[in-house]
Amino acid sequence: MRNPNENDPTVFGPLQEDAWLSLERQADLLASLLKCAGGMAAAISADYRFIFCNQPYQNISRELLGATVAPGAFLDEVLAHDPEELQTSRELWRRSLAGERFTALRQFGRGEGRRFFEIHSCPVLDRAGRRYGAVQSLREATQREKARQSLEESEREFRRMFYESPIGAAKVHPTKFIFLEVNSSLCELTGYSRDELLGRPFTDITHPEDLAQDVELATKVQTGELEEYNLEKRYLRKDGETIWVKLWVKLIRDSKGTPLYFLPLVENIDELKRAQEALRQRQHRLERMVLDRTQELEISQAVHHSIIREFPNGSLLLFDRDLRFILAGGSMLVLDEKQLVGKTLLETFGPEASAKLEPAFRGALEGRSSQFELVWGREIFDINVSPVRCTDGRILWGLAMSQIVTEKRRIECDLRRSMLQAGDNLRQLVATIEAMTDGVVIYRPNASISRINSAAARMLRVSPEELDATIYERPRRYHFLDPDRNALPVVEFPAVRALNGETVRNLKLVLRREGAEDQWLQVGAAPICGEEGEIIGAVLTLSDITASKNLEAELVRAKVQAEAANKAKSEFLAGMSHEIRTPLNGMLGMNELAFKRASDPKAREYLQMSRQSGQHLLDIINDVLDLSRIEAGRFELKPEDFKLDDELAETLKALRIGLRGKNLVLTQSIEPDTPRLLHGDWGRLRQVLFNLVGNAIKYTDQGEVHINVGAEGLKDGEAILHFEIRDTGIGIPPDKIPRIFDSFYQEGCSAHKKFGGAGLGLTISREIVQRMGGKIWVQSQPGQGSVFHFTMRFALGSCGQPEAQYVEQEARRAPSLRILVAEDNRVNQIIITDFLQEQGHTVEIAATGLRALAHLAKTPFDLVLMDVGMPDVDGLEATRRIRSGESNPLNPSIPIVAFTAHALRGDRERCLEAGMDAYLSKPVDMDRLLALIDSLFPAS
């Protein structure tokens, strides 16, 4: 150390020699203290010369500043290489040398490598209180400062997301349930301003029917039963409108677990709810249409040559909901059947008569029966219109039964006049009555028969000696029953009611006679009055309507037969699926094994072609099953999150196989404003793309097939995507375009022979698109290619990743396992055994369900591949016995995978309900099987 010179301007004042020595001694003392205290520390004199610096201080100076600090070194020399740092350091030392005590935070470096230090600085005083130096101690505060900055950034980000979120958000008091804060999206959704919502309980804007569930779930979150909850409920907007929302609610707590506030996120799903209801109604109409058309076909075949053509005593007309005649017949059919069937009511009878008939026909389709007379031309018709119902009470059609009653009405009028006249008119009346085909009975006031025609006598089997007996006295060889086959009391008999002054019309009764089948009659009765209005008798008319009643029964039986036919069709498809998939699984599996072992390029080419043919056959089977599900109204969607870019790339990778041997390129483009993360049934979208792009490749030999995806609109968390598939192929003639989406239709037989296929792809694509809220159409010119367009509606995806699929787990491989394969087909046994052994697994075979149970009772297996359709005990029953412990398995909870050719709707659910862990349909994709095993037994 050099002695200070009083002429040296760097010294803060004239120092005496003893003062300098005192400074050195105090510095030594200070160094000893700081070394004992640890940390980073240094002391400097008034001329900015280090009188002390401990080792940590020297180390950090070297690391951060590239400076070598040592006692006796001047600050200006140490930091001469960094003028900016020199200026900053001199300023901090100057403040302490000037007498200031302070604490400062300094940052060194930038970005992720920056470090923070807390500096404590104070002056060094002598005994007289004069400042002759300064001391600094440093403590690293990097972790604390970064944590503080991160907390501030998180708070800013939360506030930004809260207030700028397109989804409604709020803070709600954890016990009072009042709004503490709301964002603008929630205000827009409810119609209230922020000031109107703050301090208001959320119960005020919740629909009363949804309130109890919401409060119950919130209470469970308060008590810790639930961590969070979500539900769909209704809000009451300020304008009185009710809207549906989806609610996600989480309780925010502080570090000690004390509830701070509820954080609800609110999404408007009102349009989605309306769309779901519209879809449900549309599906119901489609089911109704399919059922009606199937029943019409069955009825037309079963009934056309039966009762309806030979209906006695009148005519029958069967009509549909468009008031169009679908069947006609009978002994009194005025118009030829060809003039009626297929024609509407208006086309057949003209405006005047149709105006009288239409209310009754409409009423029958609504469940009401009616009877009336119609004057048409020169004839009078007695019309009886009633609904035709199926066994479950639904109305299928309407049935109009008509009789020409011109003569009958004239006779009835003459009959009444003749009873008021005398003499010769009586004989004329008797002859007329006798000539009638309907039964006519005339009663005296005492209820005895005055006159009965032959038709009525045959019906009732009344002998001449019984004519004078009254209704109450006559021996009963016949009985009248009501429509429910209950005995009709005498007082309810129409003739008795007519003698009491009541007119009875169109009463349907059952006539039961000894030794004969029951006969249906339509009965009418009216009192016969004298000149002064007194009742002098009654007339009873009887019409045989047994044939029409039999027709109704025949129609109901035909309906039952149609339902049975539909059930038989479903069972046939299930059986055929199993029978075809089992050998197909063997064929494709053996092909795969042979392909892996074949070394001859030509043989591998043949095997590859064979595999493509088998896959084509499987595609046709799947198309037929999909069409069956669509026709039966059992088509399901399985929405999930997915990334559009990734899934589209994977789909096109698979489709590029079809480009081999063609001078053709397959390209894609996604417009910039198209959302990438979506929620919907990607599997069905992929099916449509496979059909449309596959067709484009099939019908295009050279040029390009291009797929473009864009967004037509984004609203309320939903996106409508527009897909366009453009090719340079053969094109479609304009007259063929209207039928291009019909089932089993291809553009001419030559196209079928040249390009193959079942003609179902476009039909299924149309149904999928419509069920996913979109539409499909095509633009084409022969020789210039085609452009297929379709739209689909998707929800915007969440921030999470799409649900993991088996095939995405390529990085994990299961350890070596001991696997039991329960399979009765020898070919399938060989295929599965070879494949699993190649993967390092040990395999044992059980050809029946009982053998599988016996193996599991004595051998510790890791996994069971269980065929559903096996001899003696099928796979479902075997699984139930394993899970219940009935078969004494060593491990009742062993993983069981269904391995079956059953692939119709409900097969997977039945397997899982029986206790199986997973489901694979035949033909089995070996990569998918391997991925499934890996997911059940992940590598450690």
Side-chain angles (χ1 to χ4, degrees):
M1 298 175 62
R2 61 188 178 90
N3 292 328
N5 187 329
E6 62 184 8
N7 295 323
D8 189 346
T10 63
V11 179
F12 55 83
L15 294 175
Q16 301 298 326
E17 181 66 19
D18 58 346
W20 174 250
L21 296 175
S22 174
L23 176 62
E24 288 184 314
R25 286 192 296 272
Q26 290 186 35
D28 292 339
L29 177 61
L30 178 62
S32 299
L33 291 174
L34 290 176
K35 286 179 180 179
C36 294
M40 294 168 282
I44 199 169
S45 63
D47 59 354
Y48 296 93
R49 179 176 53 181
F50 287 94
I51 58 178
F52 167 77
C53 54
N54 64 1
Q55 191 63 43
Y57 188 90
Q58 295 177 23
N59 294 341
I60 201 67
S61 298
R62 187 180 306 109
E63 177 183 351
L64 297 180
L65 304 177
T68 302
V69 180
F74 284 89
L75 180 66
D76 291 3
E77 297 172 350
V78 170
L79 296 177
H81 66 284
D82 191 347
E84 182 178 352
E85 179 59 31
L86 174 62
Q87 181 179 358
T88 301
S89 297
R90 281 188 69 94
E91 175 60 23
L92 290 173
W93 285 110
R94 184 198 63 76
R95 290 170 59 186
S96 296
L97 291 172
E100 181 180 355
R101 296 174 178 268
F102 64 90
T103 298
L105 183 69
R106 285 210 61 190
Q107 174 181 331
F108 294 92
R110 293 289 184 270
E112 290 298 321
R114 68 188 187 279
R115 297 174 66 181
F116 296 87
F117 290 83
E118 188 175 80
I119 301 175
H120 299 277
S121 184
C122 63
V124 179
L125 307 177
D126 62 7
R127 293 180 180 180
R130 290 173 300 183
R131 298 184 298 276
Y132 61 88
V135 63
Q136 284 185 356
S137 65
L138 284 76
R139 186 177 302 276
E140 184 159 4
T142 301
Q143 185 174 2
R144 184 191 65 190
E145 185 62 16
K146 285 186 176 180
R148 184 189 64 79
Q149 293 180 1
S150 177
L151 181 62
E152 291 178 353
E153 179 63 24
S154 297
E155 180 64 20
R156 287 193 296 272
E157 181 64 15
F158 174 78
R159 294 182 64 85
R160 184 189 67 77
M161 293 177 63
F162 181 89
Y163 288 106
E164 298 178 9
S165 172
I167 297 178
K171 293 182 180 179
V172 178
H173 195 279
T175 58
K176 298 179 182 179
F177 296 150
I178 61 175
F179 288 107
L180 302 177
E181 189 56 77
V182 295
N183 68 356
S184 58
S185 297
L186 184 62
C187 294
E188 181 180 352
L189 190 147
T190 61
Y192 290 95
S193 67
R194 178 175 178 272
D195 292 338
E196 290 173 324
L197 287 177
L198 293 183
R200 185 172 191 161
F202 78 82
T203 55
D204 284 1
I205 63 172
T206 300
H207 195 283
E209 295 178 5
D210 302 335
L211 183 59
Q213 182 186 10
D214 201 355
V215 173
E216 179 184 0
L217 292 173
T219 303
K220 288 184 177 180
V221 172
Q222 287 177 326
T223 59
E225 291 183 60
L226 295 175
E227 184 174 332
E228 59 185 31
Y229 69 92
N230 64 80
L231 77 158
E232 295 180 357
K233 72 173 197 176
R234 288 163 288 182
Y235 270 167
L236 302 175
R237 285 175 49 85
K238 182 179 180 180
D239 57 10
E241 181 185 358
T242 299
I243 60 171
W244 278 95
V245 299
K246 187 165 187 178
L247 196 68
W248 292 268
V249 181
K250 186 175 182 64
L251 181 60
I252 306 301
R253 302 175 185 268
D254 62 15
S255 59
K256 297 180 180 180
T258 303
L260 297 177
Y261 54 85
F262 283 104
L263 179 63
L265 301 179
V266 185
E267 181 183 5
N268 188 347
I269 61 171
D270 198 55
E271 290 188 7
L272 176 61
K273 281 287 188 179
R274 289 197 297 268
Q276 289 174 343
E277 178 60 20
L279 180 61
R280 186 191 65 78
Q281 294 178 359
R282 186 173 180 274
Q283 182 176 0
H284 177 72
R285 290 195 300 270
L286 182 60
E287 292 174 350
R288 181 72 264 163
M289 184 187 305
V290 172
L291 181 60
D292 287 348
R293 292 299 177 263
T294 303
Q295 291 167 339
E296 289 172 8
L297 179 61
E298 295 292 332
I299 291 300
S300 64
Q301 293 176 347
V303 177
H304 190 68
H305 298 290
S306 62
I307 300 173
I308 196 167
R309 280 197 166 186
E310 301 176 359
F311 181 70
N313 304 327
S315 60
L316 294 177
L317 301 172
L318 195 65
F319 57 89
D320 61 16
R321 295 187 176 276
D322 296 327
L323 303 188
R324 189 179 302 276
F325 296 112
I326 57 178
L327 286 176
S331 61
M332 295 185 180
L333 196 63
V334 177
L335 298 176
D336 186 80
E337 182 180 355
K338 295 181 180 179
Q339 297 176 283
L340 286 168
V341 175
K343 299 295 183 61
T344 63
L345 180 66
L346 180 63
E347 293 171 343
T348 303
F349 293 100
E352 184 177 352
S354 296
K356 298 179 181 179
L357 291 170
E358 184 172 353
F361 279 44
R362 299 281 185 197
L365 296 173
E366 295 172 0
R368 300 188 300 274
S369 298
S370 57
Q371 195 278 335
F372 56 93
E373 289 185 355
L374 173 70
V375 177
W376 190 49
R378 297 182 178 182
E379 301 291 349
I380 302 174
F381 293 86
D382 186 3
I383 310 292
N384 193 317
V385 186
S386 59
V388 177
R389 301 177 184 269
C390 61
T391 53
D392 60 5
R394 288 181 295 106
I395 298 173
L396 301 179
W397 306 286
L399 179 65
M401 296 178 287
S402 67
Q403 289 181 311
I404 300 176
V405 295
T406 308
E407 186 67 21
K408 182 178 179 180
R409 293 294 171 259
R410 187 180 300 114
I411 291 173
E412 289 178 353
C413 293
D414 292 344
L415 177 61
R416 290 178 179 175
R417 284 195 300 270
S418 66
M419 294 185 69
L420 300 176
Q421 297 174 358
D424 296 338
N425 291 339
L426 182 58
R427 288 190 297 271
Q428 180 182 0
L429 177 60
V430 170
T432 303
I433 293 174
E434 190 64 27
M436 291 180 60
T437 57
D438 288 344
V440 177
V441 184
I442 300 174
Y443 289 88
R444 302 185 184 94
N446 65 352
S448 63
I449 295 176
S450 170
R451 177 67 62 180
I452 182 171
N453 69 352
S454 299
R458 286 193 301 271
M459 293 180 191
L460 304 178
R461 295 186 181 179
V462 177
S463 61
E465 60 271 15
E466 296 172 354
L467 295 180
D468 291 333
T470 67
I471 293 175
Y472 312 100
E473 301 168 342
R474 187 177 305 112
R476 307 305 295 270
R477 285 198 290 269
Y478 60 88
H479 301 275
F480 281 99
L481 310 177
D482 64 18
D484 295 328
R485 309 286 175 150
N486 299 318
L488 188 71
V490 175
V491 293
E492 295 295 327
F493 188 63
V496 176
R497 293 166 60 183
L499 290 172
N500 290 324
E502 183 180 354
T503 299
V504 179
R505 298 194 59 160
N506 302 320
L507 178 65
K508 293 178 176 59
L509 298 176
V510 177
L511 177 63
R512 178 166 293 172
R513 300 175 301 184
E514 297 176 358
E517 295 183 358
D518 289 352
Q519 183 178 8
W520 279 90
L521 298 178
Q522 182 169 290
V523 182
I528 301 174
C529 299
E531 293 181 357
E532 297 181 1
E534 73 279 10
I535 297 176
I536 60 174
V539 60
L540 179 75
T541 60
L542 306 169
S543 298
D544 188 348
I545 60 170
T546 304
S548 65
K549 283 295 182 179
N550 290 340
L551 174 61
E552 291 182 13
E554 185 69 24
L555 294 176
V556 172
R557 284 194 295 273
K559 167 62 174 59
V560 173
Q561 292 173 357
E563 292 176 343
N566 279 336
K567 181 179 180 181
K569 182 183 72 173
S570 297
E571 293 174 351
F572 172 77
L573 282 175
M576 288 303 297
S577 171
H578 184 277
E579 294 302 323
I580 294 175
R581 284 173 181 269
T582 297
L584 186 58
N585 181 64
M587 182 186 75
L588 292 178
M590 285 298 185
N591 183 287
E592 183 69 21
L593 294 176
F595 184 81
K596 291 181 179 179
R597 289 164 172 77
S599 57
D600 180 35
K602 199 64 176 179
R604 292 176 64 87
E605 180 182 358
Y606 291 157
L607 290 171
Q608 179 68 18
M609 294 169 63
S610 174
R611 180 166 55 184
Q612 291 175 354
S613 297
Q615 187 61 45
H616 179 62
L617 176 58
L618 181 60
D619 291 341
I620 293 175
I621 294 171
N622 289 334
D623 283 346
V624 172
L625 292 178
D626 271 348
L627 183 63
S628 175
R629 295 186 187 104
I630 291 170
E631 290 178 343
R634 298 187 304 229
F635 189 83
E636 294 180 345
L637 296 176
K638 297 179 180 178
E640 60 183 0
D641 283 358
F642 66 90
K643 290 183 177 179
L644 180 63
D645 306 69
D646 296 346
E647 298 295 352
L648 188 59
E650 287 298 320
T651 300
L652 296 189
K653 184 188 299 181
L655 286 166
R656 285 192 173 92
I657 297 175
L659 301 178
R660 296 173 181 172
K662 293 190 174 186
N663 186 19
L664 186 63
V665 294
L666 178 60
T667 60
Q668 71 171 57
S669 60
I670 302 179
E671 296 179 7
D673 59 348
T674 304
R676 299 312 204 262
L677 186 58
L678 302 168
H679 183 79
D681 193 333
W682 164 252
R684 293 301 181 184
L685 170 56
R686 179 167 50 202
Q687 186 175 356
V688 174
L689 288 175
F690 263 104
N691 285 334
L692 298 183
V693 180
N695 280 350
I697 295 173
K698 182 193 301 183
Y699 293 105
T700 305
D701 290 329
Q702 60 182 358
E704 179 185 26
V705 175
H706 180 73
I707 302 96
N708 181 67
V709 186
E712 284 195 352
L714 298 173
K715 184 178 180 182
D716 298 332
E718 283 191 343
I720 299 177
L721 299 190
H722 180 187
F723 295 82
E724 179 181 301
I725 296 91
R726 183 182 302 273
D727 65 61
T728 57
I730 62 176
I732 307 170
D735 61 327
K736 305 296 183 182
I737 289 179
R739 295 191 58 199
I740 199 70
F741 295 103
D742 291 349
S743 300
F744 304 106
Y745 177 78
Q746 290 184 323
E747 199 273 294
C749 295
S750 60
H752 175 73
K753 292 178 181 178
K754 179 178 180 181
F755 300 104
L760 294 176
L762 292 180
T763 301
I764 294 171
S765 297
R766 178 189 61 188
E767 296 299 330
I768 292 174
V769 168
Q770 291 176 351
R771 281 166 169 77
M772 295 183 70
K775 57 183 179 178
I776 186 170
W777 68 98
V778 61
Q779 300 169 327
S780 183
Q781 288 293 331
Q784 299 181 16
S786 304
V787 184
F788 279 82
H789 303 264
F790 70 92
T791 61
M792 281 187 178
R793 188 182 299 271
F794 296 95
L796 297 181
S798 64
C799 295
Q801 295 297 325
E803 180 181 348
Q805 303 294 319
Y806 291 135
V807 296
E808 295 174 353
Q809 303 173 359
E810 298 175 351
R812 299 187 288 118
R813 281 294 175 264
S816 178
L817 303 174
R818 188 166 190 172
I819 301 174
L820 175 64
V821 177
E823 168 65 64
D824 63 323
N825 185 279
R826 179 57 182 164
V827 174
N828 291 338
Q829 292 175 356
I830 296 173
I831 294 170
I832 296 301
T833 300
D834 287 356
F835 175 76
L836 293 177
Q837 287 178 346
E838 286 181 356
Q839 305 303 317
H841 303 300
T842 302
V843 181
E844 291 189 31
I845 299 295
T848 69
L850 290 178
R851 291 180 184 176
L853 296 177
H855 278 297
L856 292 172
K858 63 182 181 181
T859 304
F861 288 96
D862 299 306
L863 174 67
V864 179
L865 298 182
M866 181 76 73
D867 184 25
V868 173
M870 288 190 298
D872 56 52
V873 173
D874 63 28
L876 299 178
E877 178 60 26
T879 301
R880 294 189 187 98
R881 294 185 185 183
I882 295 169
R883 294 297 186 232
S884 66
E886 177 184 347
S887 61
N888 298 317
L890 295 179
N891 180 12
S893 61
I894 184 172
I896 302 175
V897 176
F899 190 61
T900 175
H902 293 278
L904 291 181
R905 179 181 180 268
D907 291 330
R908 179 178 184 275
E909 289 72 14
R910 283 191 290 273
C911 292
L912 298 181
E913 289 173 2
M916 296 183 177
D917 298 276
Y919 168 91
L920 288 176
S921 64
K922 298 177 183 176
V924 174
D925 185 332
M926 292 305 178
D927 291 334
R928 184 169 176 80
L929 172 59
L930 182 60
L932 176 57
I933 295 175
D934 293 342
S935 70
L936 294 174
F937 300 92
S940 60

